[in-house]
Amino acid sequence: MSGLSIFDLSGRAAVVWGGGGAIGSAIAATLGRAGASVTIIDQDPDRIAAAEAKLRDAGVDCLGLSGDATDRPECDRLVAQAMGRFGRLDICFNAIGGGAGKVLHPAEDYPVEDWDWILDLNLRSTLYGTQAAVKAMINAGHGGRVLSMSSVRGQLGINAGYSAYVAAKGAINSLTRQWATEWAKHNITVNAIAPTFVDTPQVAMLLDDPVFKANLVARVPLGRVGSPDDLAGAVLFFCSDASAFVTGQVLTIDGGLTATQ
Ligand SMILES: NC(=O)c1ccc[n+]([C@@H]2O[C@H](COP(=O)([O-])OP(=O)(O)OC[C@H]3O[C@@H](n4cnc5c(N)ncnc54)[C@H](O)[C@@H]3O)[C@@H](O)[C@H]2O)c1
């Protein structure tokens, strides 16, 4: 193995949970460009259709599936379909989540309905999707890669009513270390990436507010918010042979924000 071939994903198959979303669809394209075949899974059939068409146009060997990742048997069924199409599964990328800006409450009164919604969206989906994918990897015996979307909110508080979201992303960071420890014997590495704001429709409402955006950017040493493309290099590293001896890590991708805290 030499040079850039350590990033080559030819012959590998990936599942991208939330592959119809802004970050999921961008990362599916990154994995596909590196040579992987890609199954994108999302509960929104329209998003899946649009993302699948773009991947096909880019020459990626792909499959789009609709399904709910908070339903465990459905996750098993979806992974079985992906395996049926590509015959193997090497990479599980977890990009389902978010919702924080839609349910802001004081910590002392955080309502249980919104707590459950955010925990299901961010954590249960990651749990069930990963379990289904990792069982397939363990059965095949060839190792694999799990990479999850965390957030800087997994390690930093924010004075804005984010209790459930920080709990979910903190749990993803802990599970990353726990799963890395348990699945190392199967040569499955488990890591997470933790961005600050990434310019996607999900956070457009906040970033469209010039005062909010100016305050945010002022705290980021590199002086801007992220884009889905800012995640691509780290994703290629964590999903390829380049990171063969790296597991249980959470990489912040935040223009230096956490370095200042
Ligand atoms: N955008 C940001 O600023 C930012 C920053 C840090 C971390 N993140 C994290 O990155 C991830 C992706 O964010 P995004 O901005 O691309 O969001 P997005 O809303 O564009 O993508 C999420 C996708 O998940 C799908 N989804 C939701 N629930 C599902 C379910 N139960 N089953 C199957 N699919 C489901 C949605 O339909 C959507 O397409 C999230 O985990 C988010 O917390 C985002």
Side-chain angles (χ1 to χ4, degrees):
M1 199 163 46
S2 67
L4 291 178
S5 66
I6 59 173
F7 295 103
D8 184 10
L9 299 180
S10 301
R12 312 270 167 93
V15 163
V16 177
W17 299 96
I23 291 174
S25 58
I27 295 311
T30 297
L31 296 171
R33 277 198 299 270
S37 52
V38 185
T39 300
I40 49 173
I41 299 173
D42 203 288
Q43 68 179 5
D44 185 327
D46 294 338
R47 287 185 180 196
I48 277 295
E52 193 180 4
K54 272 194 190 164
L55 288 172
R56 283 198 202 291
D57 284 352
V60 177
D61 190 9
C62 67
L63 171 68
L65 299 174
S66 300
D68 177 4
T70 63
D71 179 320
R72 183 181 242 152
E74 186 144 318
C75 288
D76 291 336
R77 180 183 62 75
L78 291 160
V79 166
Q81 272 183 270
M83 290 287 289
R85 168 73 168 77
F86 295 113
R88 60 183 294 135
L89 178 53
D90 304 276
I91 297 162
C92 170
F93 182 69
N94 296 311
I96 295 174
K102 292 186 182 155
V103 284
L104 303 174
H105 303 289
E108 65 276 18
D109 283 322
Y110 206 98
V112 70
E113 301 76 22
D114 289 344
W115 177 273
D116 287 346
W117 179 64
I118 290 285
L119 268 286
D120 281 357
L121 172 62
N122 287 274
L123 190 55
R124 190 180 296 272
S125 64
T126 299
L127 172 65
Y128 291 168
T130 304
Q131 285 178 319
V134 163
K135 277 185 280 182
M137 292 175 192
I138 291 173
N139 285 339
H142 53 50
R145 299 276 183 269
V146 176
L147 184 63
S148 302
M149 284 304 302
S150 182
S151 159
V152 292
R153 295 297 146 226
Q155 57 171 305
L156 295 179
I158 178 169
N159 191 11
Y162 269 51
S163 292
Y165 188 71
V166 301
K169 294 305 188 185
I172 285 178
N173 293 357
S174 297
L175 273 176
T176 295
R177 292 182 281 268
Q178 178 63 23
W179 288 341
T181 308
E182 287 198 35
W183 295 333
K185 59 181 170 290
H186 301 293
N187 197 24
I188 296 168
T189 67
V190 186
N191 295 287
I193 52 176
T196 183
F197 280 92
V198 180
D199 198 354
T200 70
Q202 175 150 175
V203 294
M205 218 170 60
L206 292 169
L207 295 183
D208 286 348
D209 174 347
V211 176
F212 179 92
K213 189 167 179 183
N215 283 335
L216 172 68
V217 165
R219 290 187 294 121
V220 177
L222 286 175
R224 62 177 178 84
V225 297
S227 77
D229 286 344
D230 286 317
L231 310 179
V235 168
L236 266 188
F237 171 70
F238 281 123
C239 292
S240 67
D241 291 342
S243 61
F245 199 48
V246 181
T247 195
Q249 302 304 306
V250 179
L251 178 69
T252 48
I253 301 177
D254 65 355
L257 174 71
T258 48
T260 70
Q261 304 296 301

